[in-house]
């Protein structure tokens, strides 16, 4: 009976250890303890053996992804009314000028839609309205007076210029174009120089000549610089070609040389002025 109770006690002890996960077998060389841990998906696993190997539960995997960042909102565009106000606030130019659609104060006043422009304006109901467009070769006159707001012919000197630009009206005169390119005013008269791109420059007056030697002449170009020398038919006298003979040339007089100033058998030498000298 006492042996039977002892065996029952041993069996009960073993069973309790299995349930609690703490199982060991005494008397072996190795002892093993196995803690069963629960995974995130939950499987309870515990195993025990006399060999002492441990059992592990499976773990749940994947970490959650981070959320994407939100996009930035677009900037708002400017309103059309703001753009219109900016255009009206801009400087329209000098004289009787305005901007189409912008406010005006003098009823029925004629004006131009800016300087050097073909568009004409008329103040109507407190607003600049179109009053027509000038034909080719003409622009609106913004200067006060009888021609204000009318079409006038473009100044030929300023046809390719911009308002206020200095240009050359001829080889030696610089002028400034008016605000509407309809007129010009003098700026400078070049002395011993040329007018180039609206300014005096160079060392000579275009078209003038100068003697390089007794027989060679130079001509000043449109840029105010002396050109290459050319040979005169006879002599270069003062600043141009002239005379009747080449300097230092000689001629003998014979009975038939009516123009020779010497007696028959004599000779003449041409001077630096291109004229025959005395008899030799």
């Amino acid at each position: 009976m006492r042996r039977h109770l002892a065996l029952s006690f041993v069996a009960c002890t073993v069973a309790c250890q299995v349930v609690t996960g703490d199982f060991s077998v005494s008397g072996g060389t190795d002892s093993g303890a196995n803690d069963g841990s629960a995974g995130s998906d939950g499987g309870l696993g515990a195993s025990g053996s006399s060999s002492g190997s441990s059992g592990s539960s499976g773990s749940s995997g994947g970490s959650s992804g981070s959320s994407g960042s939100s996009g930035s909102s677009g900037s708002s565009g400017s309103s059309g009314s703001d753009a219109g106000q900016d255009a009206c606030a801009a400087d329209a130019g000098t004289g009787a000028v305005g901007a189409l659609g912008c406010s005006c104060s003098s009823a029925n006043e004629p004006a131009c839609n800016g300087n050097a422009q073909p568009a004409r304006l008329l103040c109507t109901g407190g607003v600049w309205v179109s009053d027509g467009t000038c034909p080719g070769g003409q622009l609106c006159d913004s200067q006060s007076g009888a021609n204000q707001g009318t079409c006038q012919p473009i100044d030929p000197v300023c046809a390719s210029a911009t308002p206020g630009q200095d240009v050359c009206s001829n080889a030696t005169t610089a002028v400034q174009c008016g605000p509407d390119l309809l007129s010009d005013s003098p700026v400078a008269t070049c002395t011993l120089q040329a007018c180039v791109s609206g300014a005096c420059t160079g060392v000579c007056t275009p078209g003038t000549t100068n003697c390089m030697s007794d027989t060679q002449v130079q001509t000043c170009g449109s840029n105010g610089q002396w050109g290459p020398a050319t040979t005169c038919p006879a002599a270069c006298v003062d600043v141009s070609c002239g005379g009747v003979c080449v300097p230092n040339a000689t001629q003998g007089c014979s009975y038939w040389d009516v123009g020779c100033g010497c007696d028959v058998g004599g000779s003449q030498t041409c001077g630096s002025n291109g004229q025959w000298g005395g008899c030799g």
Side-chain angles (χ1 to χ4, degrees):
M1 179 67 179
R2 193 176 287 180
R3 180 181 181 182
H4 179 73
L5 291 174
L7 291 173
S8 297
F9 176 77
V10 171
C12 179
T13 301
V14 171
C16 291
Q17 289 175 340
V18 170
V19 172
T20 61
D22 184 12
F23 178 74
S24 63
V25 178
S26 61
T29 58
D30 294 327
S31 65
N34 180 6
D35 294 334
S37 61
S40 60
D41 288 338
L44 177 63
S47 62
S49 68
S50 60
S51 64
S53 63
S54 63
S56 63
S57 63
S59 63
S60 61
S63 62
S64 61
S66 61
S67 63
S69 61
S70 60
S72 60
S73 60
S75 61
S76 59
S78 61
S79 64
S81 61
D82 291 340
Q85 291 175 357
D86 291 342
C88 291
D91 184 9
T94 62
V97 295
L100 185 64
C102 297
S103 62
C104 57
S105 57
S106 301
N108 298 321
E109 179 187 6
C112 304
N113 192 38
N115 290 125
Q117 298 297 320
R120 301 166 55 207
L121 300 176
L122 187 66
C123 185
T124 303
V127 177
W128 289 115
V129 298
S130 175
D131 194 29
T133 303
C134 296
Q138 295 185 358
L139 292 173
C140 182
D141 191 346
S142 68
Q143 301 305 299
S144 62
N147 294 329
Q148 178 177 323
T150 64
C151 296
Q152 298 297 320
I154 299 173
D155 185 343
V157 173
C158 301
S160 300
T162 57
Q165 181 180 350
D166 289 348
V167 297
C168 297
S169 61
N170 56 45
T172 57
T173 304
V175 298
Q176 186 177 80
C177 293
D180 298 314
L181 306 181
L182 304 178
S183 62
D184 62 76
S185 55
V187 173
T189 299
C190 305
T191 302
L192 297 180
Q193 287 184 308
C195 182
V196 179
S197 300
C200 295
T201 186
V203 296
C204 57
T205 302
T208 58
T209 56
N210 181 53
C211 290
M212 280 285 293
S213 67
D214 288 344
T215 58
Q216 290 185 314
V217 66
Q218 284 179 305
T219 301
C220 184
S222 60
N223 61 351
Q225 301 295 330
W226 291 112
T230 58
T231 302
C232 296
C236 188
V237 183
D238 294 330
V239 294
S240 60
C241 294
V244 295
C245 57
V246 176
N248 299 319
T250 60
Q251 68 172 1
C253 294
S254 66
Y255 181 80
W256 304 104
D257 293 330
V258 179
C260 186
C262 298
D263 295 335
V264 175
S267 64
Q268 291 178 302
T269 301
C270 184
S272 59
N273 60 355
Q275 303 296 324
W276 291 111
C279 299

